[in-house]
Amino acid sequence: MTKPLLVVAAFASTLSLSAFAAAPSSPSEYRGYSACLASVPKQFETLTPTRDYYLSRTAEGRTYYINARHWHDGEWVSVGLRCDTTVSGREVLSSTVTANRFAIADRRSVQVASQ
Protein backbone atom coordinates (compact mmCIF):
# COMPACT_ATOMS: atom_id res chain seq x y z
CA MET A 1 0.00 0.00 0.00
CA THR A 2 1.32 3.45 -0.79
CA LYS A 3 0.56 6.84 0.69
CA PRO A 4 1.10 10.09 -1.23
CA LEU A 5 3.81 12.44 -0.05
CA LEU A 6 2.44 15.92 -0.67
CA VAL A 7 4.38 19.11 -0.89
CA VAL A 8 2.28 22.09 0.05
CA ALA A 9 1.79 24.06 -3.20
CA ALA A 10 1.22 21.27 -5.65
CA PHE A 11 4.03 18.70 -5.69
CA ALA A 12 3.04 15.08 -5.14
CA SER A 13 4.89 11.79 -5.10
CA THR A 14 3.92 8.31 -3.97
CA LEU A 15 6.15 6.48 -1.49
CA SER A 16 5.80 3.12 0.23
CA LEU A 17 4.98 3.29 3.93
CA SER A 18 7.62 0.68 4.65
CA ALA A 19 10.22 3.02 3.17
CA PHE A 20 9.82 5.63 5.95
CA ALA A 21 12.08 5.74 8.97
CA ALA A 22 10.24 5.48 12.29
CA ALA A 23 13.04 6.21 14.77
CA PRO A 24 15.81 8.69 15.50
CA SER A 25 18.52 8.77 12.84
CA SER A 26 21.03 5.95 12.61
CA PRO A 27 24.69 6.96 12.04
CA SER A 28 24.42 6.39 8.26
CA GLU A 29 21.13 8.31 8.09
CA TYR A 30 22.66 11.22 9.98
CA ARG A 31 25.69 11.10 7.66
CA GLY A 32 23.33 11.33 4.65
CA TYR A 33 21.35 14.14 6.29
CA SER A 34 24.57 16.09 6.93
CA ALA A 35 25.81 15.42 3.39
CA CYS A 36 22.51 16.73 2.00
CA LEU A 37 22.81 19.96 3.96
CA ALA A 38 26.43 20.34 2.86
CA SER A 39 25.39 19.94 -0.80
CA VAL A 40 23.13 23.01 -0.77
CA PRO A 41 24.26 25.69 -3.28
CA LYS A 42 26.01 28.78 -1.90
CA GLN A 43 22.98 31.04 -2.49
CA PHE A 44 21.17 29.02 0.21
CA GLU A 45 23.88 29.46 2.88
CA THR A 46 21.24 30.82 5.31
CA LEU A 47 19.23 27.60 5.02
CA THR A 48 17.93 26.66 8.48
CA PRO A 49 16.47 23.12 8.52
CA THR A 50 13.74 21.89 10.84
CA ARG A 51 14.64 19.19 13.34
CA ASP A 52 12.44 16.50 11.77
CA TYR A 53 12.61 15.31 8.19
CA TYR A 54 11.06 12.63 5.99
CA LEU A 55 13.16 9.71 4.81
CA SER A 56 12.46 7.16 2.12
CA ARG A 57 14.73 4.08 2.06
CA THR A 58 15.27 1.68 -0.82
CA ALA A 59 17.92 -0.93 -1.59
CA GLU A 60 19.59 1.60 -3.92
CA GLY A 61 19.79 4.54 -1.52
CA ARG A 62 17.92 7.07 0.57
CA THR A 63 15.85 10.12 -0.28
CA TYR A 64 15.66 12.92 2.29
CA TYR A 65 12.84 15.46 2.36
CA ILE A 66 13.95 18.34 4.60
CA ASN A 67 11.83 21.39 5.37
CA ALA A 68 13.73 24.57 6.09
CA ARG A 69 13.69 28.35 6.11
CA HIS A 70 15.89 30.57 3.99
CA TRP A 71 16.58 34.31 4.21
CA HIS A 72 15.64 35.79 0.83
CA ASP A 73 15.04 39.44 -0.14
CA GLY A 74 14.82 40.60 3.47
CA GLU A 75 12.48 37.92 4.80
CA TRP A 76 12.41 34.29 5.88
CA VAL A 77 10.76 32.01 3.31
CA SER A 78 9.85 28.34 3.58
CA VAL A 79 11.73 25.94 1.30
CA GLY A 80 12.14 22.21 0.90
CA LEU A 81 15.34 20.27 0.22
CA ARG A 82 15.01 16.93 -1.60
CA CYS A 83 18.22 14.96 -1.63
CA ASP A 84 19.18 11.47 -2.84
CA THR A 85 22.17 9.68 -1.29
CA THR A 86 23.81 6.29 -1.39
CA VAL A 87 22.73 3.79 1.29
CA SER A 88 25.80 4.67 3.38
CA GLY A 89 25.00 8.39 3.15
CA ARG A 90 28.57 9.15 2.07
CA GLU A 91 27.68 10.35 -1.43
CA VAL A 92 24.98 12.79 -2.55
CA LEU A 93 23.54 11.69 -5.88
CA SER A 94 21.22 14.68 -6.39
CA SER A 95 20.00 17.68 -4.43
CA THR A 96 17.21 20.16 -5.17
CA VAL A 97 15.87 23.14 -3.21
CA THR A 98 12.25 24.06 -3.96
CA ALA A 99 9.94 26.86 -2.86
CA ASN A 100 7.67 24.25 -1.30
CA ARG A 101 7.44 22.36 2.00
CA PHE A 102 6.98 18.61 2.38
CA ALA A 103 4.12 17.05 4.37
CA ILE A 104 2.69 13.57 4.81
CA ALA A 105 -0.94 13.21 3.79
CA ASP A 106 -1.77 10.73 6.59
CA ARG A 107 0.37 11.43 9.68
CA ARG A 108 -1.37 8.70 11.73
CA SER A 109 0.46 5.92 9.88
CA VAL A 110 3.85 7.53 9.16
CA GLN A 111 6.53 8.74 11.53
CA VAL A 112 9.45 10.94 10.67
CA ALA A 113 13.15 10.73 11.44
CA SER A 114 14.68 13.35 13.66
CA GLN A 115 17.98 14.81 14.81
Side-chain angles (χ1 to χ4, degrees), residues 48-77:
T48 305
T50 60
R51 181 178 172 96
D52 297 332
Y53 59 93
Y54 306 108
L55 176 63
S56 174
R57 292 185 241 168
T58 65
E60 295 79 34
R62 294 192 171 111
T63 302
Y64 294 79
Y65 300 91
I66 304 168
N67 290 321
R69 295 182 321 141
H70 168 64
W71 188 255
H72 180 70
D73 290 336
E75 65 181 322
W76 286 102
V77 294

Side-chain angles (χ1 to χ4, degrees), residues 28-29 31-33 35-36 55-56 58-64 83-94:
S28 66
E29 289 167 356
R31 189 171 35 248
Y33 174 84
C36 285
L55 176 63
S56 174
T58 65
E60 295 79 34
R62 294 192 171 111
T63 302
Y64 294 79
C83 183
D84 297 302
T85 70
T86 56
V87 173
S88 69
R90 295 186 194 283
E91 183 180 350
V92 174
L93 305 174
S94 68

Side-chain angles (χ1 to χ4, degrees), residues 89-111:
R90 295 186 194 283
E91 183 180 350
V92 174
L93 305 174
S94 68
S95 177
T96 306
V97 177
T98 67
N100 303 310
R101 292 183 58 85
F102 302 103
I104 298 298
D106 184 358
R107 289 183 182 267
R108 294 170 297 171
S109 59
V110 177
Q111 295 182 9

